[in-house]
Amino acid sequence: MKKVMKIVGIVVLIVIVMLAAAFDFYWYKNMHWYDKYEKALKEVRAEEKQVTLPDGGMINYGEVENDRPALLLIHGQMSMWEDYALVLPELSKNWHIYAVDVYGHGESSHDENLYYLDVNGDDLIWFIDHVIGGPTVVAGHSNGAITAAYLAACGGKNIAGAVLEDPPIFSTEGEGWEESFAYLDTYQPLHDYNESSKKECWEAYYLRNCYWGKLFMKNAMPGIADYAEKYHQKHPDEAVRIGFLPSSIWIVFEYAKEYDFAYGERFYDLSWNHGLTHEEILSSIKVPCIYLHAKESISENGTFLCAASREQAERAVSYIGDNCRLVETDTSDHIIHTVHSDVYITAVNSLQE
């Protein structure tokens, strides 16, 4: 009996050691999520540059130089150009890449007067004409996809094609906006935080009030928010990192360090469109176009947990017409260029002349 107990004890100890090692590896991998991004940027020799426009606005961008056709990448809300790092090695085999920081993000100009679809869009058209200087395929993610649509509609002869990666089409001009996931999970908490006394850091406030947390981890979120606040107090100059959660949940905290919250207010009050309608933008696109749509997902209470419904995506494609192809992924993951990089790269490469 003693021999059996000894063996059991050894087995239990081995299991504990293995679980501890697995947790340590999981924690380390999460805390060092950016390592693979840096490796990819170094692999392609991406160079960060800036250009100042005649009106004084400054666009920060990453460039992967070669003699291939030009591709302009436009990130989404609360992100920056480096978010495309993981697809740059494959894309650079076929494209000379320019990836910009949208105004109010990263190191591009932080000026509230620039936080409109057409204002930023017109400056990106200037960027294509004067920095790139030739035919360019534009590919945008999320609201960056709506900006890409604007460039495709208004950019003139130098726009060769467009990839619209899961845009929040129609909702960000008011269609079911206050019932949308983006509004409930991001823009309402962001606005409420701006209006609050800010007794805790943004990360803690977001985790305490985010919609996905209320849906799936309601009882755990207060404790996670408290952890975020304690982390912030210990590391006030760093973005909050939470090693026991998947890094995909809190990567955005890193990007938020260089994000102007006033940009988000343009979406909260629906002023970002600056009087333009999505229908008129889409209907004006004449270049080859691919609409990448993350599979529709709906919560038990009826909230769409996706940037756009299947119906909205199909309607958008119908406005563009026969020159647009709809491609849908098999999950509702919004960042298609990361989660479904093969689908994304194939879509972009299909527009090469």
Side-chain angles (χ1 to χ4, degrees), residues 7-24:
I7 294 174
V8 171
I10 293 173
V11 171
V12 170
L13 180 60
I14 292 173
V15 171
I16 291 173
V17 170
M18 291 178 64
L19 289 175
F23 181 76
D24 285 345

Side-chain angles (χ1 to χ4, degrees), residues 59-333:
I59 294 176
N60 184 70
Y61 64 101
E63 181 177 1
V64 180
E65 294 189 61
N66 52 48
D67 59 358
R68 295 169 180 81
L71 171 67
L72 177 65
L73 302 176
I74 310 167
H75 65 75
Q77 187 83 215
M78 208 176 285
S79 187
M80 57 181 63
W81 76 264
E82 291 94 336
D83 184 60
Y84 286 103
L86 300 184
V87 293
L88 294 184
E90 281 300 315
L91 286 178
S92 62
K93 294 176 181 178
N94 295 289
W95 302 94
H96 181 155
I97 300 168
Y98 302 81
V100 296
D101 281 337
V102 171
Y103 286 146
H105 298 69
E107 296 184 38
S108 286
S109 291
H110 286 216
D111 178 349
E112 293 185 39
N113 294 317
L114 303 174
Y115 302 163
Y116 296 101
L117 169 58
D118 56 338
V119 175
N120 203 165
D122 288 343
D123 283 359
L124 289 177
I125 291 172
W126 182 94
F127 181 90
I128 291 170
D129 291 342
H130 294 85
V131 176
I132 299 177
T136 303
V137 168
V138 295
H141 171 241
S142 195
N143 64 281
I146 299 176
T147 303
Y150 177 86
L151 300 187
C154 306
K157 64 181 181 180
N158 278 334
I159 307 299
V163 176
L164 312 181
E165 181 190 353
D166 210 29
I169 204 72
F170 306 124
S171 63
T172 48
E173 64 176 355
E175 186 177 292
W177 180 229
E178 294 187 4
E179 292 77 42
S180 71
F181 179 79
Y183 178 88
L184 294 170
D185 188 73
T186 301
Y187 299 109
Q188 185 175 47
L190 188 151
H191 172 77
D192 291 345
Y193 182 73
N194 284 341
E195 297 293 312
S196 74
S197 59
K198 300 180 181 177
K199 293 181 179 179
E200 59 184 352
C201 66
W202 155 247
E203 295 93 334
Y205 184 91
Y206 170 75
L207 290 167
R208 207 177 300 280
N209 295 278
C210 63
Y211 191 65
W212 67 264
K214 294 176 181 178
L215 285 178
F216 305 116
M217 299 173 59
K218 184 176 181 180
N219 294 332
M221 296 312 293
I224 296 174
D226 291 343
Y227 176 91
E229 178 61 23
K230 290 177 182 177
Y231 187 100
H232 172 74
Q233 290 176 2
K234 289 182 179 180
H235 310 279
D237 298 324
E238 298 180 11
V240 168
R241 297 184 176 189
I242 308 173
F244 56 84
L245 288 180
S247 58
S248 58
I249 290 176
W250 48 267
I251 281 175
V252 68
F253 295 158
E254 189 73 33
Y255 298 150
K257 286 170 54 183
E258 298 182 64
Y259 171 75
D260 187 348
F261 281 28
Y263 187 91
E265 290 290 336
R266 293 284 189 261
F267 288 82
Y268 177 80
D269 64 12
L270 299 175
S271 62
W272 179 73
N273 296 289
H274 220 192
L276 297 169
T277 69
H278 295 177
E279 180 181 349
E280 66 181 309
I281 293 171
L282 297 169
S283 298
S284 299
I285 296 175
K286 306 303 178 186
V287 297
C289 181
I290 296 177
Y291 187 120
L292 293 176
H293 180 242
K295 185 179 179 180
E296 180 181 293
S297 176
I298 306 174
S299 70
E300 291 182 358
N301 65 4
T303 301
F304 280 89
L305 305 178
C306 47
S309 68
R310 173 76 185 200
E311 184 279 326
Q312 288 174 320
E314 290 177 343
R315 192 179 351 142
V317 170
S318 73
Y319 287 140
I320 299 172
D322 293 339
N323 55 320
C324 184
R325 179 164 59 93
L326 176 63
V327 176
E328 186 172 77
T329 61
D330 58 6
T331 73
S332 59
D333 294 283

